[in-house]
Amino acid sequence: MMDLRQMEVVVSVAETGGFTAAARRLHVVQSAVSSTVRALEREFGTTLFDRTTHRVSLTPAGEAFLPAARATLRAAELAREAVDAVQGQLRGRITVGMMQGVWAGLHHALAALRAEHPGVVVQLRQAAVADIRQALREGTVDLAVVAFDRQQQRGLTTRLLSREDMVLLASSRRILGTTPNGEVELAEAARSPLVDFTPGWAIRYAVDRAFRAAGVDRSTTFEVNDIGAAAELVRNDLGVCIMPASIADRFPDLPQYRFHRHAPHWKVMVVRPPGEAPPAVAALLQHMPVPIRVKH
């Protein structure tokens, strides 16, 4: 009869990509993992993994089994957390997803949760928008801090944390500002060498959306995957960069220009699957929203 341990083994093999790696994660010998998978395959009468010399991959049966196994393991974990909560001993594990480029002071909420409930373990996963959405759908992420648009929010419970306009960051040697009050137009930014973030970043998503809405064509000169790298390129006058004002404030030596119109902006929110939040997730949500500087 299939049990939770067998499900955990299959999930570990799928997530680590091999029997040896799964054994390391589970702190058992590799032969124990192999025998557990074989026993489950005999029970099902089909294979769950294709085994080759170089890789292990899920069969169609394994692909069907994996999300159900994850959901069952998570349900068992939530049941334990619920009993602990009744006893006043909140424990458990929370997996928090976060889009690249979104931070929103999340560390304040995590620190407050740790101080209040040291028995709750928090895992953080930073990923692109599509990966976060998929993880929420599969239940491998309990909640996420994101900058989703309305369509991406469908089927999820959401809470707005902040709405923030973006600014244009430039070096002190680059003189911009074509309006009487020194604001810039998106077209002016498009004429400058542009430092962009890689696709999948929330900032890039919002910037792309703003240029499309304004009907302005632009090309990317530099594409980076790091806030600090973007600032260094700007500091050396190699380009300009559009980013949220709260992030731009980290670099006080670099001038900020507000947009006259069509300003890129994002709405940062916490999202989770619908339904009642598990005790540990509810405890974290109590510390959100966190104080965030919002500029309009």
Side-chain angles (χ1 to χ4, degrees), residues 99-104 146-148 160 162-166 201-204 206 209 243-247 263-269:
M99 286 176 62
Q100 291 175 305
V102 177
W103 187 242
V146 298
F148 281 171
L160 181 66
S162 72
R163 182 193 186 281
E164 183 176 12
D165 287 345
M166 297 190 181
W201 274 58
I203 298 173
R204 174 66 178 268
R209 183 177 57 199
M243 62 177 65
S246 61
I247 296 178
H265 69 271
W266 64 6
K267 291 181 179 180
V268 177
M269 63 197 73

Side-chain angles (χ1 to χ4, degrees), residues 3 36 60 66 80 89 95 102 130 133 143 179 185 215 221 230 242 250-251 266 284:
D3 58 30
T36 298
L66 186 62
R80 288 192 294 268
Q89 300 174 346
T95 302
V102 177
R133 187 71 174 82
L143 76 163
T179 67
E185 300 281 3
T221 304
I242 301 172
R250 302 179 192 175
F251 311 104
W266 64 6
L284 177 57

Side-chain angles (χ1 to χ4, degrees), residues 16 19 21 54 62 93 103 136 199 207 224 252 262 276:
T16 62
F19 289 78
H54 301 291
R93 172 183 55 83
W103 187 242
L136 286 163
V207 169
V224 298
H262 304 301
E276 185 177 355

Side-chain angles (χ1 to χ4, degrees), residues 136 141-144 155-158 270-278 281 285:
L136 286 163
V141 162
D142 297 298
L143 76 163
L156 297 170
T157 298
T158 68
V270 57
V271 300
R272 62 178 179 85
E276 185 177 355
V281 173
L285 288 172

